[in-house]
Amino acid sequence: MTNAQIKDLRNEAEHMFQHGYDNYMKHAFPEDELKPLTCKPLGRDRMDPTHIAVNDVLGNYSLSLVDSLTTLAVLASSPSEARHPKALRHFQSGVAALVEQYGDGTSGPAGQGLRARGFDLDSKVQVFETVIRGVGGLLSAHQFAVGDLPITGYDPPRTTAANGSISIQWPHGFRYNGQLLRLAQDLGNRLLPAFHTDTGIPYPRVNLRHGIPFYSESPLHRDAENGMCHSIQQRSGELTETCSAGAGSLLLELTTLSRLTGDPRFEQLSKKAFWSIWERKGPTGLVGAGIDAESGLWTSSYTGIGAGIDSFYEYAAKAYVLLSAAPVAASSATPPPTTVSNAHNASPQHYENPESYLGVWKDAHAAINHHLRRGRMYIHPHYIQADLFTGAARAFWFDSLGAFFPGLLTLTGDVEEATEAHLLNTALWSRYSALPERWSTSSGSVEGGLGWWGGRPEFIESTYHLYRATQDPWYLHVGEMVMRDIKRRCWTRCGWAGIQDVRTGERSDRMESYFLSETAKYLILLFQPDHPLNKLDAPFVFSTEGHPLILPRVATQDRAYTTSDPKAASDAVSGDLSAQTCPPPAHHPLSESSVATRGDLYHAANLARLHFMPTHETLESPLIEYSADHPSVSISDVRSPSNYTYFPWTLPLELVPQNATCDKMTARPTFDITFPTHPHGVLTPGSLQRVLNGILVNSISGLRLGMIQDVKIDIGGVPSSTELYRVQAINNIAMGKDEKIFVAKDTAADAVNPLDPNFTRVRDMSMLDLVVDVAPEQMCTKQNTTSHLFDNSVTSTSSPDLIYSSPAHENIPHESSMRHAFNSLIEHVAALIHNEPQETTTGSLREYFPAITPTGAGAAPLPDVEDALGPDMSGSPRGGLLWHSIYVADNNCNSRLPVSVPRDHQVLVMKRGGCSFGQKLQNIPTFPPSKDSLQLVIVVSYDDAEAGLPPGWLVRPLLEKRQLTPAGLSRHRPIPMVMVGGGDKTHEVFRRAVGLGLKRRYSIQAQGVPI
């Protein structure tokens, strides 16, 4: 694409914004939004307070103007502004108009506006929407006004008054002296009552004038001295459900507000809310969509990357960037006493550490890829919805909010994954000339009738970020496609309408404020590569509403613009930004675009069913009669050919490689195993029972297992080229990747034949599990002991934790029927549950520790003992363990152990490090072998010893030489050794252990195919 073409597209994007903004100011201001079809204002629905689609967002404070100021500031740096600075004048006049309506944020006469003093409005609004649109818009516009964020050629004179306040002279006699910042603080103060919860999770709504009288259980109403005076005494019917995105995506705006005003409450409460959500993540490592602010319990078991969750992950990554510029000093980490519950005053150290937020993003991204991402075997990579607690697939739709994810991946350096995800979004836009609110990957159609597009910016946002990272012209053409379609389908004489149904083109009479704040802004920035924001070498971020934010390097920088009392500021500290960077785009001599040469380009088109769409030779548009003399419309918008004539859309020939081919589409390897119905077997609801970490099968009769080959595996520390099959569904009940199937031994005894030649059981020679009984009176809870220290699915040297098997049955005659062949699979994919009474260790909990065996000349075979049984469904031990005498040492490097240790103890635990593994073993004295003497050495590894590996991964220890005694002689009976991870926490658990056993791991091959 030539520079002249890019310039023309930039001009069109600017005109598109001006068309919407000018009509809002003409037909709707000072109301919140514009109704573009009827040319009327849109305000709160006073007749129906339950109409939350409108009332949650529209607070009666001129929302579209507040949300548009930053786009005007961005537009003010356009080359077209050099001679006629129209956008800058609109920015300054917009600020003046806002101050006229709502005052200047002070307590004097100037603080009273035509509509209200500040935001003293009887409006019940959603906290999240008010923060990202209202507070964020005001703060970002303030930072443009004072020069924290760049506007080309903007350097107005500043004057300092006797009291130290600074003002900036603007045209028409207006002096800017921080009015937007003070208004942002006023709005933020009115949101604080929503944070009065026992959980730290804010309530979803607040009244800007009256606070939260409708949340009768709030701690605010228990405070006789500082509480609200007119609370509702009886429990109201007000919903207390919020979402992860709504509660956890406040910290960028509120942290910036705290740093600019010196009031730390906003920052601390928003951080508390973020961590209150994350600390409640499910066993999958993901957060859910709905959560109750009062109880802290999840209200829905669904999880994904879209609605209700999206910006939580976004703010985890962006908080790292923003906070790295100026972290809070420890001395200022705790806010002063306020009316907010004292439970929120505490500020754990990780709240203030930028690295903690990066860690949240990394952990969440790994969990997303493990549970939600479907790879290339599903035609083209995409993300699904899963169960928060099990990881089992729950739904297969994509929502338009999820289109933000490629942009986030790009910002964090995962460009390849971002490119794959963006290709599917591009194919969907090509098909519908917009993104439907929800689209099903399984049916290939709009899901549940949710076919509207209200002008959402997420797809354009990701397109912008990918272009900035790769400079691939592909994304400029994507942006052109989007702009052409918006102008063709959404234009009205009074603005830009939403699309009620992308299939029919029916339009909705609402121009959302985010269309001006985000959609237009990202298009302008996409088509202006040299914009100062695109070249700003500073840790700034775009909020989830598209408002640029940056922390001042000196915390007191903007106090001259506020009326709040200053607080001691911390020294600015520059944090290290992520080392992940994007590689330069690959050079392709046959094309200008690396994306256009991808082998999977048409895979995304296939998943979107783009090839089933008909070709339209002509298009109709209301623009035809209007395009001649209006700059917001070009004739190209009218004559743009059908989007699916080509994929993607009208791809220029110079981007299409000659004789190009695409990769072969991978088939999804699946099959079903169905067991026959026994004559006396009846399938009842009780035949399957969900238990702690899987499904308990009480009857095999009529059982159906859906198998899929998608489990990555490393064997013996070496990556395998094949993947294992797993059970993805049992009798139409979806299962997560980490869930297990349990079958009682007596359930399978009559049908299982382990001698069947169709199936082979293979013992894992490198990985096993240590089964440990731990005394509960010395531990807090099972959750915070060991269950969270290990994740079998991410151990580099192990197969997935799908298979736990007891010794094979003996004396069962061979039978060759396929019934027995299939049934034998059950024994090997299940952890067999023994129903007979067993000796137990009273009062203890049974835990698993994944362990890895050493390799080399000094490695000794493990003791030939019977496998221990795992815990029952409640976590209680089943059956006794073989070893009970456990000695816990340090690193065993500096001196020999006492002779009594190996003689009188069956298990020796020591820390890794300080010396070689061989030296640790050499410092163990010789001892006479007996059932009560040393049987096993356990070495506990630490995270720093596995540097460069993902958390939870282990490398097999190497014993290069034969084991020696302390005297230097060859040890006649080498001591078996294993290594576990977890560091000090694991080491401490072994101090409390009262029993220990071994449990081998097995994999199954069905005629040579790993199961």
Side-chain angles (χ1 to χ4, degrees):
M1 186 175 289
T2 66
N3 291 334
Q5 290 174 308
I6 298 174
K7 177 183 176 181
D8 290 341
L9 291 173
R10 185 198 70 229
N11 289 334
E12 290 187 43
E14 294 173 358
H15 292 150
M16 185 175 74
F17 169 80
Q18 288 291 357
H19 178 64
Y21 177 79
D22 291 345
N23 277 282
Y24 163 74
M25 295 300 292
K26 177 180 179 181
H27 298 289
F29 179 78
E31 299 300 328
D32 285 313
E33 287 183 345
L34 169 68
K35 300 173 73 173
L37 296 178
T38 55
C39 303
K40 295 179 180 179
L42 176 65
R44 294 178 60 79
D45 189 345
R46 300 291 184 182
M47 302 300 295
D48 183 8
T50 65
H51 189 187
I52 59 176
V54 169
N55 292 336
D56 269 1
V57 178
L58 308 187
N60 200 28
Y61 56 84
S62 308
L63 176 62
S64 288
L65 175 58
V66 172
D67 230 0
S68 299
L69 289 174
T70 57
T71 308
L72 286 167
V74 167
L75 191 56
S77 293
S78 170
S80 61
E81 291 284 306
R83 289 181 295 177
H84 305 288
K86 178 181 177 182
L88 181 58
R89 290 199 304 270
H90 280 177
F91 172 76
Q92 295 169 335
S93 62
V95 173
L98 202 65
V99 171
E100 181 182 23
Q101 295 293 325
Y102 306 99
D104 67 355
T106 63
S107 57
Q112 178 65 50
L114 296 178
R115 303 195 96 191
R117 176 176 289 278
F119 298 103
D120 182 23
L121 302 161
D122 186 12
S123 299
K124 181 181 175 183
V125 295
Q126 191 185 95
V127 174
F128 169 67
E129 294 289 355
T130 307
V131 168
I132 65 171
R133 302 197 198 199
V135 176
L138 292 167
L139 287 175
S140 183
H142 165 76
Q143 294 194 302
F144 276 111
V146 299
D148 288 348
L149 292 169
I151 297 177
T152 301
Y154 175 68
D155 187 20
R158 289 168 167 80
T159 58
T160 303
N163 62 359
S165 64
I166 298 175
S167 63
I168 302 172
Q169 183 64 55
W170 281 355
H172 309 294
F174 185 85
R175 285 187 174 272
Y176 183 77
N177 57 15
Q179 292 94 329
L180 295 179
L181 178 57
R182 292 193 295 272
L183 287 173
Q185 187 174 19
D186 175 83
L187 187 55
N189 285 330
R190 297 177 185 279
L191 301 176
L192 288 180
F195 290 87
H196 286 264
T197 64
D198 291 323
T199 61
I201 301 171
Y203 285 114
R205 294 172 182 86
V206 66
N207 187 289
L208 295 179
R209 175 175 294 166
H210 302 299
I212 55 168
F214 34 80
Y215 293 123
S216 57
E217 298 299 310
S218 169
L220 183 63
H221 304 317
R222 305 175 202 152
D223 187 345
E225 180 178 353
N226 298 314
M228 302 180 70
C229 60
H230 50 275
S231 64
I232 299 174
Q233 297 303 318
Q234 296 183 351
R235 185 174 181 86
S236 68
E238 186 70 24
L239 292 177
T240 56
E241 178 185 0
T242 184
C243 62
S244 296
S249 306
L250 310 173
L251 60 89
L252 297 186
E253 293 86 354
L254 296 188
T255 294
T256 304
L257 181 59
S258 282
R259 301 299 180 89
L260 295 182
T261 63
D263 186 343
R265 293 177 299 169
F266 306 108
E267 179 174 354
Q268 293 303 316
L269 291 172
S270 63
K271 288 179 176 178
K272 172 68 174 177
F274 176 89
W275 290 104
S276 295
I277 295 292
W278 181 244
E279 289 160 3
R280 289 171 169 81
K281 62 183 180 295
T284 55
L286 298 168
V287 297
I291 190 169
D292 188 273
E294 290 184 342
S295 68
L297 300 177
W298 297 107
T299 59
S300 169
S301 63
Y302 272 64
T303 184
I305 62 168
I309 300 171
D310 48 359
S311 56
F312 179 87
Y313 297 137
E314 176 188 0
Y315 273 39
K318 290 182 177 179
Y320 167 70
V321 177
L322 189 71
L323 296 175
S324 293
V328 175
S331 61
S332 62
T334 303
T338 67
T339 59
V340 179
S341 172
N342 289 334
H344 301 153
N345 287 348
S347 181
Q349 186 175 2
H350 63 272
Y351 284 24
E352 316 305 337
N353 183 3
E355 295 286 345
S356 299
Y357 297 91
L358 180 62
V360 169
W361 160 247
K362 288 183 175 180
D363 291 345
H365 186 208
I368 287 170
N369 280 342
H370 182 61
H371 294 289
L372 306 181
R373 187 173 188 265
R374 287 184 152 192
R376 296 186 177 185
M377 69 180 63
Y378 292 87
I379 302 179
H380 185 79
H382 60 277
Y383 304 90
I384 63 171
Q385 285 68 46
D387 189 280
L388 175 64
F389 303 101
T390 68
R394 288 289 178 261
F396 305 96
W397 43 259
F398 156 89
D399 65 29
S400 60
L401 284 170
F404 89 100
F405 201 59
L408 178 58
L409 292 170
T410 303
L411 291 173
T412 56
D414 299 291
V415 178
E416 174 60 23
E417 185 182 348
T419 303
E420 290 179 332
H422 188 267
L423 277 176
L424 178 58
N425 298 341
T426 304
L428 285 174
W429 187 288
S430 300
R431 174 177 173 178
Y432 291 107
S433 298
L435 284 185
E437 183 71 6
R438 189 178 290 181
W439 178 83
S440 172
T441 57
S442 58
S443 67
S445 58
V446 171
E447 173 82 6
L450 305 180
W452 62 80
W453 182 77
R456 289 200 187 277
E458 287 76 16
F459 176 53
I460 299 95
E461 175 188 1
S462 291
T463 303
Y464 161 73
H465 286 304
L466 274 164
Y467 179 68
R468 295 306 310 160
T470 66
Q471 299 295 298
D472 194 310
W474 169 279
Y475 299 106
L476 294 176
H477 289 279
V478 173
E480 180 184 9
M481 171 185 70
V482 169
M483 188 167 63
R484 294 272 180 262
D485 285 332
I486 291 174
K487 296 172 77 173
R488 176 169 56 85
R489 306 190 76 188
C490 303
W491 176 89
T492 74
R493 293 179 182 273
C494 295
W496 303 97
I499 303 175
Q500 188 61 34
D501 192 326
V502 297
R503 297 163 296 186
T504 65
E506 177 188 357
R507 294 183 293 177
S508 59
D509 195 12
R510 182 177 182 181
M511 186 174 72
E512 295 267 8
S513 71
Y514 55 65
F515 181 83
L516 299 177
S517 171
E518 298 182 79
T519 306
K521 180 186 287 123
Y522 285 122
L523 284 172
I524 293 169
L525 289 172
L526 173 66
F527 297 129
Q528 189 178 347
D530 58 348
H531 191 281
L533 278 180
N534 290 334
K535 296 184 175 182
L536 183 58
D537 185 14
F540 82 99
V541 295
F542 287 100
S543 74
T544 196
E545 189 69 11
H547 297 304
L549 294 171
I550 189 169
L551 293 186
R553 305 293 277 184
V554 179
T556 57
Q557 174 175 320
D558 277 13
R559 304 298 162 74
Y561 297 107
T562 70
T563 57
S564 60
D565 295 330
K567 181 179 173 64
S570 62
D571 293 333
V573 180
S574 297
D576 293 333
L577 300 181
S578 175
Q580 283 186 291
T581 57
C582 306
H587 175 65
H588 297 275
L590 298 179
S591 172
E592 296 179 5
S593 169
S594 60
V595 177
T597 61
R598 290 178 63 94
D600 61 349
L601 179 67
Y602 289 87
H603 297 185
N606 184 283
L607 182 59
R609 281 70 163 184
L610 202 57
H611 52 296
F612 293 148
M613 296 299 101
T615 298
H616 298 308
E617 299 299 333
T618 60
L619 294 173
E620 296 182 358
S621 171
L623 297 179
I624 295 176
E625 64 183 68
Y626 201 71
S627 60
D629 56 354
H630 287 77
S632 64
V633 178
S634 69
I635 198 66
S636 299
D637 302 318
V638 182
R639 295 179 178 174
S640 178
S642 170
N643 288 332
Y644 34 82
T645 301
Y646 303 101
F647 174 72
W649 67 103
T650 55
L651 191 65
L653 293 179
E654 62 267 21
L655 294 187
V656 180
Q658 297 297 316
N659 301 319
T661 59
C662 66
D663 294 339
K664 181 179 179 181
M665 208 164 292
T666 306
R668 182 175 54 182
T670 62
F671 65 89
D672 287 347
I673 298 178
T674 303
F675 298 91
T677 302
H678 296 175
H680 303 291
V682 179
L683 190 64
T684 66
S687 300
L688 300 177
Q689 180 183 354
R690 184 166 293 282
V691 291
L692 186 64
N693 55 351
I695 299 289
L696 172 63
V697 177
N698 295 313
S699 173
I700 294 179
S701 177
L703 192 71
R704 184 173 71 255
L705 302 179
M707 310 296 294
I708 185 169
Q709 187 180 15
D710 71 347
V711 179
K712 296 185 181 299
I713 175 176
D714 291 340
I715 300 177
V718 180
S720 172
S721 59
T722 60
E723 293 181 323
L724 289 179
Y725 281 89
R726 68 174 177 91
V727 180
Q728 67 169 340
I730 178 168
N731 282 25
N732 293 328
I733 299 176
M735 298 194 66
K737 290 183 178 180
D738 297 332
E739 287 192 283
K740 305 177 182 68
I741 298 176
F742 299 90
V743 183
K745 177 173 286 188
D746 56 359
T747 300
D750 295 336
V752 172
N753 186 350
L755 303 179
D756 195 302
N758 292 297
F759 297 93
T760 306
R761 184 175 72 167
V762 181
R763 176 182 290 186
D764 191 326
M765 302 306 294
S766 62
M767 290 298 300
L768 70 153
D769 290 292
L770 304 183
V771 183
V772 183
D773 283 347
V774 185
E777 63 270 13
Q778 297 176 332
M779 307 183 69
C780 297
T781 64
K782 181 184 177 187
Q783 272 192 335
N784 55 22
T785 56
T786 61
S787 61
H788 68 289
L789 299 180
F790 302 100
D791 183 353
N792 294 342
S793 65
V794 296
T795 303
S796 65
T797 53
S798 71
S799 58
D801 194 8
L802 295 173
I803 297 141
Y804 291 93
S805 176
S806 64
H809 300 298
E810 299 178 357
N811 303 321
I812 299 179
H814 173 70
E815 300 182 36
S816 59
S817 71
M818 288 303 294
R819 169 171 170 260
H820 285 177
F822 285 147
N823 282 340
S824 68
L825 177 64
I826 284 295
E827 180 174 17
H828 306 298
V829 300
L832 298 182
I833 298 177
H834 294 255
N835 293 329
E836 60 269 27
Q838 298 285 346
E839 177 187 358
T840 62
T841 304
T842 304
S844 60
L845 295 176
R846 185 156 291 182
E847 302 284 352
Y848 278 113
F849 285 82
I852 191 167
T853 60
T855 185
L862 294 173
D864 187 15
V865 297
E866 184 176 355
D867 279 0
L869 295 176
D872 62 15
M873 295 303 100
S874 65
S876 301
R878 292 181 300 107
L881 297 181
L882 188 61
W883 303 319
H884 298 278
S885 179
I886 303 171
Y887 185 89
V888 181
D890 198 16
N891 58 23
N892 200 38
C893 288
N894 299 325
S895 61
R896 300 179 187 178
L897 289 172
V899 175
S900 60
V901 172
R903 183 189 64 204
D904 301 332
H905 296 85
Q906 296 163 311
V907 179
L908 171 61
V909 180
M910 62 182 72
K911 296 180 179 180
R912 182 178 182 179
C915 59
S916 67
F917 296 111
Q919 184 61 47
K920 294 177 186 292
L921 296 177
Q922 188 173 355
N923 283 334
I924 301 174
T926 57
F927 56 93
S930 71
K931 65 181 181 64
D932 297 322
S933 63
L934 186 61
Q935 307 291 319
L936 180 69
V937 171
I938 302 173
V939 177
V940 179
S941 181
Y942 289 70
D943 292 341
D944 55 358
E946 307 294 345
L949 292 176
W953 287 44
L954 296 171
V955 174
R956 295 187 72 177
L958 176 62
L959 296 175
E960 297 178 335
K961 302 178 181 179
R962 293 175 59 86
Q963 293 187 28
L964 302 177
T965 67
L969 303 176
S970 178
R971 195 182 290 272
H972 293 295
R973 295 183 179 86
I975 305 172
M977 187 193 93
V978 297
M979 187 171 71
V980 298
D984 287 331
K985 291 183 179 179
T986 302
H987 195 257
E988 183 61 26
V989 168
F990 279 114
R991 288 187 180 276
R992 301 163 183 164
V994 296
L996 189 143
L998 304 180
K999 191 173 183 64
R1000 276 79 172 184
R1001 293 188 178 189
Y1002 299 89
S1003 63
I1004 302 298
Q1005 292 185 359
Q1007 298 181 355
V1009 178
I1011 303 297

